[in-house]
Each structure stands twice: as C-alpha cells, then as structure tokens.
C-alpha cells in the first residue's frame, strides 16, 4: 500500500470509532442507544449514554352516554344540547342554533346587520327587523367669524355662550363673588360670623351686621321650671315666664249664667273670699244667689273633698285646694 492509502485507511477507522454511540446505564439496568423505556410515571430514552425522561402521557378514557360510546374529545348532539367527551366525563351546554336572516322592503339582511331606512336606523335580529329614529350629527356654529363645534361653550365679553346644533345661545356671565376683610380677618362670600353683640355676613366683598339674637332664659318659680313664654296658674294669679323673669296678674274668673232656672258652668268661677277659710270656718259662708230657687252657680268651700255650701243642686270638685265647677242636673 502506498503511504496515501494508509492515511485514508486510518482516517476511515477513526471516523467509524467516533460515530459509534454509547449505551446507557439507568437504575442498574443497561439500555442501548435510542432505546425507550418506562420508569413509573415517566417515559425515558437512551441517547448516546445519557437518559432523558418526561412525564408519561396516559391515554384518556372514552365516555358512555345514553348507552353509546364516545372517544375522548368527541362532540355530539343530544336533542337541544351540544355535548363533549372529556376523559370519561360528558359535559353538555345548550345548543346554539343559527339565527335567521331578515327580508325588509324586498331586501335581504343577515342576522345582526344594520341598515338605513330613510329617517330610521334598522337592525336584523333573528329574522325580525327593529328600527329607531336616526340620529343625525348636529351642526357647528359660526359666531363673530369663528366656528364652534356643537356643545362647545365660549366667552363673549360679559356673556357665556354655547353652540347648540348650529344656534348660539348666550346668558349673562356669572362672576365669582369677592371675599371680605373685617377687623383684620378674612371671610369668604356668604360666610357668617359673630362680632361681640352683632351677627355679620360677607356679601360680595361687603360685610352686613345686625343685632345678635340671644336665646331667652327659662324660669324657676316655686320649685317648678317653665320655658320662656310659658303661662301657668298660681292659685288666684295668671303668670308668665319672660326671659327668666316671672310676672303675675290677678286671674279673671267668668261668672256662671242662669237660663230658665238652670245654671251651667264650663269654667271656674270666682271664690267668695280672697283667702282660704280656716278649718273649720269661724262664720257660715254667704250664699246669695241671683236666680230663683237657688239654681245658680257659686264657688264651694271644701274640706277633704266634701261640699260645704253651694247654690247648685250638684257640684263637681276641681283638683286644686278650693273652688269647683258647678253643673245643674
């Protein structure tokens, strides 16, 4: 052999030696290059002396539904439902039916399609056409050689203006009102405050004050409390609470009237004496009556709730110490 042939032979032997792949050893077992095997939940492969594993893929289960068998992932129709087999379990949902097209004034429209009919905007909804008034874009405005879009507001000297579908409407501009400074203090417009005996208010930079109104005081009289302005009876006096002070005046009692020898009293009448009698009275009480047969009304002195003397046939006692209302029966 020539030297060149020897070189080519050695190179060929080296190439074959390098091209030979190695077997694998995995868990004390030997696997040839390219061999696959199962390791519990993994699927493994020998690749030139190295083992690579991936999670094992298990075949999913078929489904049995109403005595029929369906493969995993298979879909089928059950009357009004659409069902799918998913690893042995069947899930169903309501079947979606294709919606109907519409025919309107000789034209055909697909479901969901919108179209214009003169002044209306219409839509095909599962074979039925519904229409509503068409909304037209509103016009811009031209005002003092300037263009404003519909709904846009702008200022014109002392006026606030707005573009409304091609027409400009203006109203007097509302300016923010001024605050006030009073005795070194600042107050916002509309704010009220107290200045000693006055109640003041800030009105657009000017302070206006009026006399302060104080709440009036209640009264305490003979151990009882009365609100300001409240009136009450004290034996023969009529009293009133006025800002903490009680003023009393003699009580005016109306006389009873006699009509056809009958006396009626709806209010109390005057007692005979100005002072309560002693117990027992030293002298008999006077009993003068202007009506015949004593059918008239007079006050009754009483002790222990009993009638002492009266010009009425019967009397109804009041709840105070002395005196009563009389009613002829």
């Amino acid at each position: 052999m020539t030297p060149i042939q020897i070189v080519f032979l050695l190179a060929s032997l080296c190439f074959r030696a390098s091209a030979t792949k190695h077997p694998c050893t995995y868990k004390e077992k030997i696997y040839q290059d390219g061999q696959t095997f199962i390791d519990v939940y993994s699927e493994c492969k020998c690749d030139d002396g190295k083992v690579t594993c991936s999670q094992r893929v298990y075949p999913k289960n078929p489904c049995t539904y109403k005595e029929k068998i369906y493969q995993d992932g298979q879909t089928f129709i059950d009357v009004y439902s659409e069902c799918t087999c998913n690893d042995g379990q069947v899930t169903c949902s309501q079947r979606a039916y294709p919606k109907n097209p519409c025919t309107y004034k000789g034209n055909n429209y697909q479901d969901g399609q919108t179209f214009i009919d003169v002044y209306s905007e219409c839509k095909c909804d599962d074979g039925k056409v519904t229409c509503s008034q068409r909304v037209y874009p509103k016009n811009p405005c031209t005002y003092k050689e300037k263009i404003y879009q519909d709904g846009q507001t702008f200022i014109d000297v002392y006026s606030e203006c707005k573009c409304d579908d091609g027409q400009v409407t203006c109203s007097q501009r509302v300016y923010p009102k001024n605050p006030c400074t009073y005795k070194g203090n600042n107050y916002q417009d509309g704010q009220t405050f107290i200045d000693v005996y006055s109640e003041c208010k800030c009105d657009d930079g000017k302070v206006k004050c009026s006399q302060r109104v104080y709440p009036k005081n209640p009264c305490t009289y003979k151990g009882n409390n009365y609100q300001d302005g409240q009136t009450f009876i004290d034996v023969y006096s009529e009293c009133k609470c006025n800002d903490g002070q009680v003023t009393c005046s003699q009580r005016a009692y109306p006389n009873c009237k006699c009509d056809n020898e009958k006396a009626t009293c709806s209010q109390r009448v005057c007692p005979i004496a100005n002072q309560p009698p002693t117990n027992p009275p030293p002298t008999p009480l006077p009993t003068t009556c202007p009506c015949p047969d004593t059918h008239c009304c007079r006050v009754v002195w009483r002790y222990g709730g009993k009638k002492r003397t009266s010009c009425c046939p019967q009397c109804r006692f009041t709840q105070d110490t002395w005196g009563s209302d009389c009613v002829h029966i």
Side-chain angles (χ1 to χ4, degrees):
M1 296 178 64
T2 63
I4 295 175
Q5 289 176 335
I6 293 172
V7 171
F8 274 106
L9 178 61
L10 292 175
S12 176
L13 292 175
C14 291
F15 177 77
R16 289 180 181 179
S18 62
T20 302
K21 293 188 176 181
H22 302 90
C24 301
T25 301
Y26 184 80
K27 292 184 179 181
E28 299 180 355
K29 290 185 179 181
I30 297 174
Y31 300 95
Q32 297 301 316
D33 178 68
Q35 184 178 352
T36 59
F37 57 93
I38 301 298
D39 178 27
V40 193
Y41 301 109
S42 301
E43 187 171 348
C44 304
K45 184 178 180 180
C46 175
D47 185 9
D48 192 17
K50 295 181 180 179
V51 174
T52 56
C53 297
S54 60
Q55 189 174 1
R56 188 176 179 184
V57 178
Y58 293 89
K60 292 187 177 181
N61 300 312
C63 302
T64 301
Y65 184 80
K66 293 185 179 181
E67 299 180 356
K68 291 185 179 181
I69 298 175
Y70 301 93
Q71 297 303 314
D72 179 69
Q74 185 177 353
T75 59
F76 56 94
I77 301 299
D78 178 28
V79 192
Y80 301 108
S81 301
E82 186 171 348
C83 304
T84 302
C85 173
N86 185 11
D87 194 16
Q89 299 292 327
V90 174
T91 56
C92 296
S93 59
Q94 189 175 1
R95 188 177 179 185
Y97 294 90
K99 293 187 176 181
N100 300 312
C102 302
T103 300
Y104 184 80
K105 293 185 178 181
N107 296 318
N108 296 322
Y109 302 96
Q110 297 301 315
D111 178 69
Q113 186 176 353
T114 58
F115 56 94
I116 301 299
D117 178 30
V118 191
Y119 302 109
S120 301
E121 186 170 348
C122 305
K123 183 178 181 180
C124 174
D125 185 8
D126 195 16
K128 296 181 180 180
V129 174
T130 56
C131 296
S132 59
Q133 188 174 1
R134 189 177 178 185
V135 180
Y136 294 90
K138 292 186 177 181
N139 300 311
C141 303
T142 301
Y143 185 79
K144 293 184 177 180
E145 299 181 355
K146 291 184 178 181
I147 297 175
Y148 301 94
Q149 298 301 315
D150 177 70
Q152 186 177 352
T153 59
F154 56 94
I155 301 299
D156 178 29
V157 191
Y158 302 109
S159 301
E160 187 170 349
C161 304
K162 184 178 181 180
C163 173
D164 186 8
D165 195 17
Q167 301 291 326
V168 174
T169 55
C170 296
S171 58
Q172 188 174 2
R173 190 176 179 185
V174 179
Y175 294 90
K177 292 187 176 181
N178 299 310
C180 302
T181 301
Y182 184 80
K183 293 185 178 181
N185 296 318
N186 297 322
Y187 302 95
Q188 298 300 315
D189 178 69
Q191 186 176 353
T192 58
F193 56 94
I194 301 300
D195 178 30
V196 192
Y197 302 109
S198 300
E199 187 169 349
C200 303
K201 184 177 181 179
C202 173
D203 185 8
D204 195 17
K206 296 180 180 180
V207 174
K208 298 179 181 178
C209 297
S210 58
Q211 188 174 1
R212 189 177 179 186
V213 179
Y214 294 89
K216 293 188 176 181
N217 300 310
C219 302
T220 300
Y221 184 79
K222 293 185 178 181
N224 296 317
N225 296 322
Y226 302 95
Q227 298 301 315
D228 179 69
Q230 185 177 353
T231 58
F232 56 94
I233 301 299
D234 177 30
V235 190
Y236 305 110
S237 300
E238 186 170 349
C239 303
K240 184 177 182 180
C241 173
N242 187 10
D243 194 17
Q245 299 293 326
V246 174
T247 56
C248 297
S249 59
Q250 187 174 2
R251 188 178 180 190
Y253 295 89
N255 293 323
C256 296
K257 296 181 180 180
C258 299
D259 185 11
N260 295 329
E261 297 185 355
K262 293 182 180 180
T264 58
C265 293
S266 60
Q267 301 182 30
R268 288 188 56 195
V269 296
C270 279
I272 297 175
N274 290 328
Q275 298 296 328
T278 58
N279 187 9
T283 57
L285 298 174
T287 55
T288 57
C289 298
C291 293
D293 299 328
T294 69
H295 289 297
C296 63
C297 205
R298 297 291 286 175
V299 164
V300 176
W301 302 112
R302 66 183 172 88
Y303 293 92
K306 295 182 179 180
K307 180 171 60 176
R308 296 288 294 178
T309 180
S310 173
C311 296
C312 288
Q314 292 187 16
C315 291
R316 295 189 303 196
F317 292 122
T318 56
Q319 298 300 317
D320 58 352
T321 304
W322 48 320
S324 69
D325 290 333
C326 306
V327 177
H328 177 78
I329 300 177

